[in-house]
Amino acid sequence: MKKLRFAVLASGRGSNLQAILDACKAGTIHGEVVVVLSDHKDAFALERARRANIPAFWVNPADFSDKAQFEEGLLRIIAEFNVDYIILAGFMRIFSPTFIHGAQVPILNIHPSLLPAFAGLHAQRQAVEYGVRYSGCTVHFLDEGVDTGPIIMQAVVPVYQDDTEDSLAERILREEHRIYPKVLQLLAEGRVSCQGRKVIIAGEEERQ
Amino acid sequence: MKKLRFAVLASGRGSNLQAILDACKAGTIHGEVVVVLSDHKDAFALERARRANIPAFWVNPADFSDKAQFEEGLLRIIAEFNVDYIILAGFMRIFSPTFIHGAQVPILNIHPSLLPAFAGLHAQRQAVEYGVRYSGCTVHFLDEGVDTGPIIMQAVVPVYQDDTEDSLAERILREEHRIYPKVLQLLAEGRVSCQGRKVIIAGEEERQ
Protein backbone atom coordinates (compact mmCIF):
# COMPACT_ATOMS: atom_id res chain seq x y z
CA MET A 1 0.00 0.00 0.00
CA LYS A 2 1.29 3.40 -1.01
CA LYS A 3 2.12 5.79 1.79
CA LEU A 4 0.09 8.99 1.84
CA ARG A 5 2.02 12.16 1.08
CA PHE A 6 1.28 15.24 3.19
CA ALA A 7 2.16 18.89 2.78
CA VAL A 8 2.07 20.64 6.16
CA LEU A 9 1.55 24.39 6.51
CA ALA A 10 2.39 26.00 9.84
CA SER A 11 2.98 29.52 11.08
CA GLY A 12 4.36 28.81 14.53
CA ARG A 13 6.27 26.39 16.66
CA GLY A 14 4.80 23.40 14.86
CA SER A 15 3.93 21.13 17.75
CA ASN A 16 1.16 19.49 15.73
CA LEU A 17 3.65 19.02 12.90
CA GLN A 18 5.94 17.29 15.38
CA ALA A 19 3.16 14.99 16.56
CA ILE A 20 2.50 14.05 12.94
CA LEU A 21 6.21 13.55 12.17
CA ASP A 22 6.58 11.34 15.23
CA ALA A 23 3.56 9.24 14.27
CA CYS A 24 4.82 8.85 10.69
CA LYS A 25 8.22 7.78 11.99
CA ALA A 26 6.66 5.35 14.46
CA GLY A 27 4.52 3.89 11.69
CA THR A 28 1.23 4.75 13.40
CA ILE A 29 0.50 6.88 10.34
CA HIS A 30 1.09 5.06 7.09
CA GLY A 31 2.24 8.24 5.42
CA GLU A 32 4.93 10.85 5.28
CA VAL A 33 5.30 14.60 5.42
CA VAL A 34 7.03 15.45 2.17
CA VAL A 35 7.11 19.25 2.41
CA VAL A 36 6.59 21.92 5.07
CA LEU A 37 5.73 25.52 4.29
CA SER A 38 5.44 28.57 6.50
CA ASP A 39 4.57 32.21 6.10
CA HIS A 40 6.98 33.06 8.93
CA LYS A 41 10.71 32.93 8.37
CA ASP A 42 11.43 32.03 11.98
CA ALA A 43 8.64 29.49 12.44
CA PHE A 44 10.13 26.63 14.44
CA ALA A 45 8.02 24.33 12.27
CA LEU A 46 10.56 24.94 9.47
CA GLU A 47 13.39 23.97 11.77
CA ARG A 48 11.60 20.78 12.79
CA ALA A 49 11.21 19.89 9.11
CA ARG A 50 14.89 20.50 8.38
CA ARG A 51 15.91 18.33 11.32
CA ALA A 52 13.78 15.56 9.83
CA ASN A 53 15.37 16.10 6.38
CA ILE A 54 12.10 17.32 4.92
CA PRO A 55 12.11 20.17 2.39
CA ALA A 56 11.08 23.34 4.24
CA PHE A 57 10.02 26.56 2.55
CA TRP A 58 9.49 30.01 3.91
CA VAL A 59 7.04 31.69 1.57
CA ASN A 60 7.13 35.40 2.33
CA PRO A 61 3.78 37.12 1.78
CA ALA A 62 5.68 40.39 1.25
CA ASP A 63 7.21 38.91 -1.91
CA PHE A 64 3.79 38.82 -3.55
CA SER A 65 1.61 41.64 -4.84
CA ASP A 66 -1.55 40.29 -3.19
CA LYS A 67 -3.10 37.37 -1.35
CA ALA A 68 -4.05 35.56 -4.54
CA GLN A 69 -0.44 35.68 -5.76
CA PHE A 70 0.83 34.49 -2.40
CA GLU A 71 -1.58 31.56 -2.42
CA GLU A 72 -0.50 30.68 -5.95
CA GLY A 73 3.07 30.77 -4.73
CA LEU A 74 2.25 28.22 -2.05
CA LEU A 75 0.39 26.01 -4.49
CA ARG A 76 3.25 26.12 -7.01
CA ILE A 77 5.62 24.67 -4.43
CA ILE A 78 3.11 22.12 -3.15
CA ALA A 79 2.45 21.00 -6.74
CA GLU A 80 6.06 19.85 -7.01
CA PHE A 81 5.57 17.29 -4.26
CA ASN A 82 2.61 15.35 -5.54
CA VAL A 83 0.77 15.33 -2.22
CA ASP A 84 -2.48 13.60 -1.27
CA TYR A 85 -3.52 16.06 1.43
CA ILE A 86 -2.64 19.54 2.59
CA ILE A 87 -2.50 19.70 6.39
CA LEU A 88 -2.93 23.04 8.14
CA ALA A 89 -1.23 22.88 11.50
CA GLY A 90 -1.48 26.31 13.04
CA PHE A 91 -1.32 28.19 9.75
CA MET A 92 -2.63 31.60 10.75
CA ARG A 93 -4.12 32.79 7.50
CA ILE A 94 -7.55 32.44 5.97
CA PHE A 95 -7.47 31.02 2.47
CA SER A 96 -9.54 32.27 -0.43
CA PRO A 97 -11.88 29.89 -2.29
CA THR A 98 -9.36 30.08 -5.14
CA PHE A 99 -6.75 28.36 -2.98
CA ILE A 100 -9.17 25.69 -1.90
CA HIS A 101 -10.20 24.84 -5.44
CA GLY A 102 -6.69 25.33 -6.81
CA ALA A 103 -5.26 22.86 -4.32
CA GLN A 104 -6.89 19.90 -6.09
CA VAL A 105 -6.44 17.80 -2.94
CA PRO A 106 -8.44 17.95 0.30
CA ILE A 107 -7.20 20.40 2.92
CA LEU A 108 -7.43 19.56 6.61
CA ASN A 109 -7.43 21.98 9.50
CA ILE A 110 -7.36 21.66 13.27
CA HIS A 111 -9.14 24.22 15.43
CA PRO A 112 -8.86 24.56 19.22
CA SER A 113 -12.57 24.47 20.07
CA LEU A 114 -15.59 22.23 19.74
CA LEU A 115 -16.82 23.71 16.50
CA PRO A 116 -19.22 25.27 15.65
CA ALA A 117 -18.58 27.03 18.98
CA PHE A 118 -15.78 29.59 19.04
CA ALA A 119 -14.73 29.72 15.41
CA GLY A 120 -12.09 32.21 14.37
CA LEU A 121 -9.17 33.63 16.30
CA HIS A 122 -8.40 33.12 20.00
CA ALA A 123 -10.81 30.20 20.38
CA GLN A 124 -9.46 29.30 23.82
CA ARG A 125 -9.84 32.86 25.09
CA GLN A 126 -13.36 32.97 23.67
CA ALA A 127 -14.20 29.77 25.58
CA VAL A 128 -12.79 31.02 28.87
CA GLU A 129 -14.56 34.36 28.55
CA TYR A 130 -17.88 32.76 27.61
CA GLY A 131 -17.72 30.54 30.67
CA VAL A 132 -18.30 27.13 29.07
CA ARG A 133 -17.62 24.00 31.13
CA TYR A 134 -16.21 21.97 28.22
CA SER A 135 -14.19 22.82 25.16
CA GLY A 136 -11.87 20.81 22.94
CA CYS A 137 -10.55 20.61 19.42
CA THR A 138 -11.85 19.76 15.99
CA VAL A 139 -10.20 18.30 12.88
CA HIS A 140 -12.20 19.23 9.81
CA PHE A 141 -12.00 19.55 6.08
CA LEU A 142 -11.46 23.09 4.94
CA ASP A 143 -14.33 24.65 3.06
CA GLU A 144 -14.93 28.23 1.98
CA GLY A 145 -16.12 29.40 5.39
CA VAL A 146 -14.04 30.14 8.47
CA ASP A 147 -13.88 26.89 10.50
CA THR A 148 -17.15 25.67 9.00
CA GLY A 149 -16.03 22.56 7.07
CA PRO A 150 -17.16 18.95 7.63
CA ILE A 151 -15.98 17.59 10.98
CA ILE A 152 -13.83 14.46 10.97
CA MET A 153 -12.94 14.16 14.66
CA GLN A 154 -13.34 16.08 17.90
CA ALA A 155 -11.99 15.72 21.41
CA VAL A 156 -13.42 17.20 24.59
CA VAL A 157 -11.61 18.71 27.56
CA PRO A 158 -13.07 20.23 30.74
CA VAL A 159 -12.74 23.95 31.33
CA TYR A 160 -12.00 24.72 34.99
CA GLN A 161 -13.23 27.89 36.58
CA ASP A 162 -9.71 29.08 37.30
CA ASP A 163 -8.53 28.39 33.75
CA THR A 164 -6.71 31.06 31.80
CA GLU A 165 -6.47 31.18 28.04
CA ASP A 166 -3.03 29.56 28.37
CA SER A 167 -3.92 26.75 30.76
CA LEU A 168 -6.89 25.81 28.59
CA ALA A 169 -4.81 26.04 25.41
CA GLU A 170 -2.27 23.64 26.91
CA ARG A 171 -4.96 21.10 27.85
CA ILE A 172 -6.50 21.32 24.38
CA LEU A 173 -3.12 21.04 22.67
CA ARG A 174 -2.51 17.64 24.22
CA GLU A 175 -5.72 16.45 22.56
CA GLU A 176 -4.73 18.05 19.25
CA HIS A 177 -1.51 16.04 19.27
CA ARG A 178 -3.55 12.91 19.85
CA ILE A 179 -6.35 13.31 17.31
CA TYR A 180 -4.58 14.91 14.32
CA PRO A 181 -2.34 11.84 13.78
CA LYS A 182 -5.35 9.59 14.35
CA VAL A 183 -7.25 11.35 11.57
CA LEU A 184 -4.31 11.08 9.18
CA GLN A 185 -4.14 7.34 9.81
CA LEU A 186 -7.89 7.04 9.12
CA LEU A 187 -7.22 8.76 5.80
CA ALA A 188 -4.30 6.39 5.13
CA GLU A 189 -6.63 3.47 5.77
CA GLY A 190 -9.12 4.90 3.30
CA ARG A 191 -11.86 4.99 5.93
CA VAL A 192 -12.98 8.62 5.61
CA SER A 193 -15.80 9.68 3.29
CA CYS A 194 -18.29 12.53 3.11
CA GLN A 195 -22.08 12.38 2.86
CA GLY A 196 -23.03 15.99 2.31
CA ARG A 197 -21.42 17.77 5.22
CA LYS A 198 -21.32 14.68 7.40
CA VAL A 199 -18.11 12.71 7.58
CA ILE A 200 -18.42 8.94 7.79
CA ILE A 201 -15.66 6.84 9.32
CA ALA A 202 -15.90 3.32 7.94
CA GLY A 203 -15.81 0.63 10.61
CA GLU A 204 -16.71 3.05 13.35
CA GLU A 205 -19.50 1.19 15.08
CA GLU A 206 -22.06 2.86 17.25
CA ARG A 207 -20.95 2.34 20.84
CA GLN A 208 -23.54 2.89 23.55
CA MET B 1 -31.85 25.92 56.72
CA LYS B 2 -34.83 27.09 54.72
CA LYS B 3 -35.78 24.99 51.71
CA LEU B 4 -35.59 26.76 48.37
CA ARG B 5 -38.91 27.31 46.64
CA PHE B 6 -39.11 26.71 42.91
CA ALA B 7 -41.70 27.58 40.28
CA VAL B 8 -41.40 25.23 37.30
CA LEU B 9 -42.65 26.17 33.83
CA ALA B 10 -43.06 23.38 31.29
CA SER B 11 -44.83 22.99 27.97
CA GLY B 12 -44.55 19.24 27.48
CA ARG B 13 -44.30 15.91 29.20
CA GLY B 14 -42.23 17.35 32.02
CA SER B 15 -39.55 14.70 32.39
CA ASN B 16 -37.13 17.28 33.77
CA LEU B 17 -39.83 18.38 36.22
CA GLN B 18 -40.13 14.75 37.31
CA ALA B 19 -36.39 14.45 37.85
CA ILE B 20 -36.54 17.57 40.01
CA LEU B 21 -39.59 16.34 41.94
CA ASP B 22 -37.89 13.01 42.58
CA ALA B 23 -34.71 14.69 43.82
CA CYS B 24 -36.69 17.01 46.11
CA LYS B 25 -38.56 14.04 47.51
CA ALA B 26 -35.37 12.04 47.98
CA GLY B 27 -33.78 15.01 49.72
CA THR B 28 -30.94 15.33 47.22
CA ILE B 29 -32.31 18.81 46.53
CA HIS B 30 -32.93 20.80 49.68
CA GLY B 31 -35.89 22.52 48.11
CA GLU B 32 -39.40 22.06 46.81
CA VAL B 33 -41.42 22.75 43.72
CA VAL B 34 -44.27 24.91 45.00
CA VAL B 35 -46.07 25.66 41.72
CA VAL B 36 -46.07 24.37 38.14
CA LEU B 37 -47.32 26.39 35.18
CA SER B 38 -47.83 25.45 31.57
CA ASP B 39 -48.95 27.17 28.40
CA HIS B 40 -50.47 23.86 27.22
CA LYS B 41 -53.65 22.54 28.75
CA ASP B 42 -52.70 18.93 28.17
CA ALA B 43 -49.06 19.18 29.21
CA PHE B 44 -48.29 16.03 31.20
CA ALA B 45 -46.15 18.26 33.42
CA LEU B 46 -49.41 19.59 34.94
CA GLU B 47 -50.56 16.06 35.65
CA ARG B 48 -47.24 15.21 37.30
CA ALA B 49 -47.65 18.25 39.55
CA ARG B 50 -51.20 17.31 40.52
CA ARG B 51 -50.10 13.78 41.37
CA ALA B 52 -47.49 15.31 43.70
CA ASN B 53 -50.12 17.61 45.25
CA ILE B 54 -48.47 20.69 43.83
CA PRO B 55 -50.62 23.57 42.53
CA ALA B 56 -50.69 23.33 38.74
CA PHE B 57 -51.87 26.10 36.44
CA TRP B 58 -52.66 26.12 32.77
CA VAL B 59 -52.15 29.68 31.61
CA ASN B 60 -53.74 29.94 28.21
CA PRO B 61 -51.98 32.44 25.92
CA ALA B 62 -55.24 32.85 24.02
CA ASP B 63 -56.78 34.42 27.13
CA PHE B 64 -54.45 37.39 26.86
CA SER B 65 -54.39 40.23 24.36
CA ASP B 66 -50.65 39.98 23.77
CA LYS B 67 -47.39 38.38 24.89
CA ALA B 68 -46.76 41.04 27.54
CA GLN B 69 -50.15 40.41 29.11
CA PHE B 70 -49.59 36.64 29.03
CA GLU B 71 -46.23 37.04 30.73
CA GLU B 72 -47.79 39.27 33.37
CA GLY B 73 -50.40 36.60 33.90
CA LEU B 74 -47.67 34.05 34.60
CA LEU B 75 -45.85 36.41 36.94
CA ARG B 76 -49.04 37.22 38.86
CA ILE B 77 -49.51 33.55 39.70
CA ILE B 78 -45.85 32.98 40.49
CA ALA B 79 -45.87 36.02 42.79
CA GLU B 80 -48.42 34.24 45.03
CA PHE B 81 -45.94 31.48 45.82
CA ASN B 82 -42.97 33.46 47.05
CA VAL B 83 -40.41 31.51 45.03
CA ASP B 84 -36.62 31.79 45.03
CA TYR B 85 -36.09 30.63 41.45
CA ILE B 86 -38.10 30.15 38.29
CA ILE B 87 -37.12 26.93 36.54
CA LEU B 88 -37.80 26.54 32.83
CA ALA B 89 -38.08 22.85 32.03
CA GLY B 90 -39.01 22.59 28.39
CA PHE B 91 -41.06 25.76 28.29
CA MET B 92 -41.29 26.41 24.59
CA ARG B 93 -41.63 30.19 24.55
CA ILE B 94 -39.10 32.98 24.41
CA PHE B 95 -39.59 35.53 27.17
CA SER B 96 -39.38 39.27 26.73
CA PRO B 97 -36.91 41.31 28.80
CA THR B 98 -39.95 42.58 30.69
CA PHE B 99 -40.63 39.08 32.02
CA ILE B 100 -37.01 38.61 33.03
CA HIS B 101 -36.88 41.86 34.96
CA GLY B 102 -40.41 41.51 36.27
CA ALA B 103 -39.66 38.08 37.71
CA GLN B 104 -37.47 39.56 40.45
CA VAL B 105 -35.87 36.15 40.98
CA PRO B 106 -33.29 34.40 38.80
CA ILE B 107 -34.65 32.25 35.99
CA LEU B 108 -32.91 29.02 35.00
CA ASN B 109 -33.16 27.21 31.70
CA ILE B 110 -31.88 23.91 30.32
CA HIS B 111 -30.94 23.60 26.67
CA PRO B 112 -30.15 20.36 24.80
CA SER B 113 -26.79 21.37 23.35
CA LEU B 114 -23.35 22.47 24.43
CA LEU B 115 -24.06 26.17 24.21
CA PRO B 116 -23.07 28.42 22.52
CA ALA B 117 -23.37 25.78 19.79
CA PHE B 118 -26.88 25.10 18.48
CA ALA B 119 -28.94 27.69 20.30
CA GLY B 120 -32.63 27.99 19.49
CA LEU B 121 -35.09 25.36 18.37
CA HIS B 122 -34.31 21.75 17.41
CA ALA B 123 -30.84 21.79 18.94
CA GLN B 124 -30.44 18.02 18.62
CA ARG B 125 -31.41 18.07 14.95
CA GLN B 126 -29.00 20.94 14.37
CA ALA B 127 -26.20 18.90 15.96
CA VAL B 128 -26.92 15.78 13.90
CA GLU B 129 -27.13 17.76 10.68
CA TYR B 130 -23.94 19.69 11.41
CA GLY B 131 -22.06 16.46 11.97
CA VAL B 132 -20.49 17.18 15.37
CA ARG B 133 -18.93 14.30 17.30
CA TYR B 134 -20.05 15.55 20.73
CA SER B 135 -23.07 17.41 22.00
CA GLY B 136 -24.75 17.65 25.38
CA CYS B 137 -26.84 19.95 27.50
CA THR B 138 -26.44 23.24 29.33
CA VAL B 139 -28.08 24.69 32.43
CA HIS B 140 -27.84 28.47 32.36
CA PHE B 141 -29.32 31.61 33.80
CA LEU B 142 -31.78 33.25 31.48
CA ASP B 143 -30.73 36.59 30.08
CA GLU B 144 -32.28 38.72 27.36
CA GLY B 145 -30.80 36.70 24.51
CA VAL B 146 -31.88 33.33 23.21
CA ASP B 147 -29.85 30.69 25.09
CA THR B 148 -27.04 33.16 25.75
CA GLY B 149 -27.09 33.45 29.54
CA PRO B 150 -24.29 32.57 31.99
CA ILE B 151 -23.59 28.82 32.04
CA ILE B 152 -23.88 26.99 35.36
CA MET B 153 -23.32 23.39 34.29
CA GLN B 154 -22.89 21.36 31.12
CA ALA B 155 -22.73 17.66 30.32
CA VAL B 156 -21.25 16.04 27.22
CA VAL B 157 -22.51 13.08 25.21
CA PRO B 158 -21.04 11.49 22.10
CA VAL B 159 -22.88 11.82 18.79
CA TYR B 160 -22.70 8.59 16.79
CA GLN B 161 -22.67 8.64 13.02
CA ASP B 162 -25.91 6.71 12.81
CA ASP B 163 -27.68 8.96 15.32
CA THR B 164 -31.03 10.46 14.49
CA GLU B 165 -32.46 13.55 16.12
CA ASP B 166 -34.45 11.23 18.41
CA SER B 167 -31.64 8.90 19.45
CA LEU B 168 -29.43 11.87 20.26
CA ALA B 169 -32.25 13.64 22.12
CA GLU B 170 -32.75 10.55 24.28
CA ARG B 171 -29.05 10.34 25.16
CA ILE B 172 -28.96 14.05 26.01
CA LEU B 173 -32.15 13.84 28.07
CA ARG B 174 -30.56 11.35 30.43
CA GLU B 175 -27.88 13.93 31.18
CA GLU B 176 -30.49 16.68 31.58
CA HIS B 177 -32.19 14.64 34.28
CA ARG B 178 -28.84 14.27 36.01
CA ILE B 179 -27.52 17.85 35.91
CA TYR B 180 -30.66 19.95 36.44
CA PRO B 181 -31.24 18.55 39.96
CA LYS B 182 -27.50 18.89 40.64
CA VAL B 183 -27.64 22.58 39.79
CA LEU B 184 -30.68 23.15 42.01
CA GLN B 185 -28.85 21.55 44.91
CA LEU B 186 -25.83 23.82 44.29
CA LEU B 187 -28.23 26.76 44.51
CA ALA B 188 -29.74 25.34 47.71
CA GLU B 189 -26.23 25.10 49.16
CA GLY B 190 -25.63 28.75 48.26
CA ARG B 191 -22.59 27.83 46.17
CA VAL B 192 -23.49 29.58 42.90
CA SER B 193 -22.39 33.14 42.15
CA CYS B 194 -21.74 35.21 39.04
CA GLN B 195 -18.63 37.17 38.08
CA GLY B 196 -19.70 39.03 34.98
CA ARG B 197 -20.96 36.29 32.71
CA LYS B 198 -18.91 33.59 34.40
CA VAL B 199 -20.59 31.41 36.99
CA ILE B 200 -18.48 30.39 39.96
CA ILE B 201 -19.30 27.24 41.93
CA ALA B 202 -17.85 27.60 45.41
CA GLY B 203 -15.84 24.59 46.56
CA GLU B 204 -15.38 23.31 43.03
CA GLU B 205 -11.65 22.67 42.97
CA GLU B 206 -9.64 22.47 39.82
CA ARG B 207 -9.18 18.79 39.03
CA GLN B 208 -6.45 17.86 36.59
Side-chain angles (χ1 to χ4, degrees):
Chain A
M1 199 170 82
K2 174 184 161 292
K3 277 190 176 181
L4 285 189
R5 297 169 62 83
F6 305 115
V8 176
L9 276 65
S11 298
R13 56 185 166 159
S15 73
N16 272 308
L17 168 63
Q18 191 64 55
I20 292 166
L21 290 174
D22 292 348
C24 289
K25 197 173 172 188
T28 48
I29 298 173
H30 192 70
E32 54 189 332
V33 178
V34 294
V35 60
V36 173
L37 301 95
S38 182
D39 55 339
H40 281 95
K41 188 181 179 183
D42 298 326
F44 191 60
L46 293 174
E47 180 58 26
R48 292 184 198 268
R50 288 183 204 109
R51 289 179 188 180
N53 293 314
I54 293 166
F57 295 87
W58 170 43
V59 183
N60 186 356
D63 289 347
F64 298 87
S65 55
D66 59 19
K67 180 173 169 167
Q69 295 295 318
F70 167 69
E71 292 182 348
E72 270 187 36
L74 291 172
L75 286 179
R76 253 195 314 274
I77 296 173
I78 294 169
E80 297 295 313
F81 289 87
N82 190 30
V83 303
D84 299 294
Y85 291 92
I86 295 172
I87 308 300
L88 306 182
F91 192 72
M92 301 304 284
R93 285 168 185 275
I94 293 167
F95 286 111
S96 70
T98 315
F99 180 86
I100 295 166
H101 299 300
Q104 296 184 356
V105 295
I107 304 169
L108 271 70
N109 187 37
I110 191 160
H111 183 80
S113 77
L114 290 175
L115 290 171
F118 310 126
L121 289 176
H122 308 301
Q124 302 96 333
R125 190 193 306 168
Q126 288 184 61
V128 166
E129 288 176 355
Y130 196 98
V132 290
R133 300 306 192 185
Y134 295 93
S135 190
C137 51
T138 303
V139 177
H140 64 92
F141 288 113
L142 204 70
D143 69 4
E144 298 184 10
V146 175
D147 302 322
T148 56
I151 291 173
I152 308 170
M153 194 176 287
Q154 296 186 297
V156 180
V157 305
V159 181
Y160 300 117
Q161 50 195 19
D162 57 357
D163 262 328
T164 60
E165 179 181 1
D166 287 345
S167 64
L168 177 59
E170 194 187 319
R171 193 175 306 120
I172 291 173
L173 197 60
R174 286 197 292 268
E175 293 301 304
E176 294 180 40
H177 296 167
R178 187 176 66 79
I179 70 171
Y180 220 169
K182 247 173 110 169
V183 166
L184 299 194
Q185 177 57 10
L186 288 175
L187 294 170
E189 293 170 1
R191 293 169 59 192
V192 179
S193 61
C194 285
Q195 287 179 5
R197 69 158 290 123
K198 291 179 70 171
V199 176
I200 307 298
I201 311 292
E204 190 99 317
E205 306 295 291
E206 188 186 351
R207 299 144 297 150
Q208 292 272 11
Chain B
M1 199 170 81
K2 175 185 161 292
K3 278 190 177 183
L4 286 189
R5 295 169 63 84
F6 305 114
V8 175
L9 276 65
S11 299
R13 57 183 166 160
S15 73
N16 271 307
L17 167 64
Q18 192 63 54
I20 293 166
L21 290 173
D22 292 348
C24 288
K25 198 173 172 190
T28 49
I29 299 173
H30 191 70
E32 53 190 333
V33 177
V34 294
V35 61
V36 172
L37 300 95
S38 182
D39 55 339
H40 281 93
K41 187 181 179 184
D42 299 325
F44 191 61
L46 292 174
E47 180 59 27
R48 292 185 197 267
R50 288 182 204 109
R51 289 180 188 179
N53 294 313
I54 293 166
F57 295 87
W58 169 44
V59 183
N60 185 356
D63 289 346
F64 299 87
S65 55
D66 59 20
K67 180 173 169 167
Q69 295 296 316
F70 167 69
E71 291 182 347
E72 271 187 34
L74 291 172
L75 287 179
R76 250 194 317 274
I77 296 172
I78 294 170
E80 297 296 314
F81 289 87
N82 190 31
V83 303
D84 300 293
Y85 292 92
I86 296 173
I87 309 299
L88 306 182
F91 192 72
M92 299 305 284
R93 286 169 183 274
I94 292 167
F95 287 112
S96 70
T98 315
F99 180 85
I100 295 166
H101 300 299
Q104 296 185 359
V105 296
I107 304 168
L108 271 70
N109 187 37
I110 192 159
H111 183 81
S113 77
L114 290 175
L115 290 171
F118 310 126
L121 290 176
H122 308 303
Q124 302 96 332
R125 189 194 308 169
Q126 289 184 61
V128 167
E129 288 177 353
Y130 197 97
V132 290
R133 300 306 191 186
Y134 294 94
S135 190
C137 52
T138 302
V139 177
H140 65 92
F141 287 114
L142 205 70
D143 70 5
E144 297 184 11
V146 175
D147 302 321
T148 56
I151 291 173
I152 308 171
M153 194 176 287
Q154 295 185 298
V156 180
V157 305
V159 181
Y160 300 116
Q161 50 195 19
D162 57 358
D163 262 327
T164 60
E165 178 181 3
D166 286 345
S167 64
L168 177 59
E170 195 188 317
R171 194 175 307 122
I172 291 173
L173 197 61
R174 286 198 292 269
E175 293 301 303
E176 295 180 40
H177 296 167
R178 187 176 67 79
I179 71 171
Y180 220 170
K182 248 174 112 171
V183 166
L184 299 194
Q185 177 57 10
L186 288 174
L187 294 170
E189 293 170 359
R191 291 170 60 192
V192 180
S193 61
C194 284
Q195 288 179 4
R197 70 158 291 125
K198 290 178 71 170
V199 177
I200 306 299
I201 310 292
E204 189 99 319
E205 306 295 289
E206 188 187 350
R207 301 144 295 150
Q208 292 274 12

